Amino acid sequence: MIDVRDANRFAGLTEPIDLIAGHIPGATNIPFTENLDATGAFLAPEILKEKYAAALLHVLPENVIVHCGSGITACHTLLAMDYAGLPIPKLYVGSWSEWSRNNKEMVLAG
């Protein structure tokens, strides 16, 4: 599972939207902003492919799930992975907002 929120939200240091700060257990943090170059354009497809292939080394493409805070920003990473020629992963639409409100196990700031 890839959490595309910024590192501080993932770590539970700040949470500007939801009632609880933290992340879903087992998630890997790859902020969506890391898909972009200094001008705000997507990195070259080859660079994106290398980055995600390395991050998902032991994960089958059909098992990759991407989420963010509310399910919108995660779509940026789905597009980046498609642009890189990788299979489009699943989107957890409810994302952190849903997970943190439904008594699910979570990693909280401590």
Side-chain angles (χ1 to χ4, degrees), residues 72-85:
I72 297 169
T73 307
C75 294
H76 187 282
T77 293
L78 271 62
L79 181 59
M81 292 177 75
D82 181 55
Y83 178 59

Side-chain angles (χ1 to χ4, degrees), residues 9-74:
R9 285 184 75 189
F10 180 82
L13 301 176
T14 183
E15 182 48 61
I17 298 169
D18 293 301
L19 301 175
I20 300 169
H23 66 267
I24 299 171
T28 298
N29 186 225
I30 305 174
F32 81 95
T33 54
E34 293 180 6
N35 296 327
L36 306 173
D37 66 17
T39 69
F42 275 121
L43 296 170
E46 302 79 26
I47 295 171
L48 290 167
K49 185 172 188 172
E50 183 178 310
K51 178 177 95 162
Y52 283 104
L56 302 170
L57 187 61
H58 301 292
V59 181
L60 296 173
E62 61 268 21
N63 293 334
V64 178
I65 302 169
V66 179
H67 78 91
C68 55
S70 62
I72 297 169
T73 307

